[in-house]
Amino acid sequence: MIAEQLNIKVKFIRGFGDKTRLQILEYIKDGEKTVSQIVDNVQASQSNISQHLGCLKDCGLIIGRQDGKYVYYSLRNEKVKILLSMFDEVFADVQTDVACCDRHFENVEG
């Protein structure tokens, strides 16, 4: 049971572990945005953004709200926003160490 919970937690954390997904989360943390707005801000194709939005929804990090022909995406709740802020706080403390660590993350940019 513990291994299964750990696997699910890894899937959840993976939602934050992609540059495009993190850009989307950072962009929508202050309010809901349409797919078009996200595409313009992140500067990626609509199909690519849609795939990432699907992943973020499946991970429970965002929700979508249909309004006419538009879908508005936002963070699932305030706790996700707090978690993003906590990442920033911890990252500020370890940024130099992370920048020097290339032993396990050779393909971070990819």
Side-chain angles (χ1 to χ4, degrees), residues 11 28 45 48 55 60-61 65 69 77 81 85 101 103:
K11 285 182 182 181
I28 67 174
S45 70
N48 183 270
C55 176
L61 298 173
R65 177 182 66 84
K69 65 178 186 170
N77 56 40
K81 187 175 183 176
S85 295
C101 179
R103 186 171 52 182

Side-chain angles (χ1 to χ4, degrees), residues 43-87:
Q43 296 185 336
S45 70
Q46 184 167 346
S47 63
N48 183 270
I49 294 299
S50 293
Q51 288 178 351
H52 286 293
L53 288 169
C55 176
L56 291 168
K57 278 183 75 174
D58 291 346
C59 288
L61 298 173
I62 66 170
I63 56 172
R65 177 182 66 84
Q66 184 84 35
D67 186 7
K69 65 178 186 170
Y70 297 102
V71 177
Y72 291 85
Y73 289 95
S74 60
L75 299 181
R76 178 180 201 93
N77 56 40
E78 189 66 20
K79 290 179 181 180
V80 176
K81 187 175 183 176
I82 292 168
L83 187 53
L84 288 168
S85 295
M86 289 176 70
F87 284 151

Side-chain angles (χ1 to χ4, degrees), residues 12-25:
F12 171 74
I13 292 170
R14 232 180 249 147
F16 297 97
D18 178 88
K19 182 179 177 180
T20 301
R21 288 193 294 273
L22 195 53
Q23 284 178 289
I24 292 168
L25 291 169

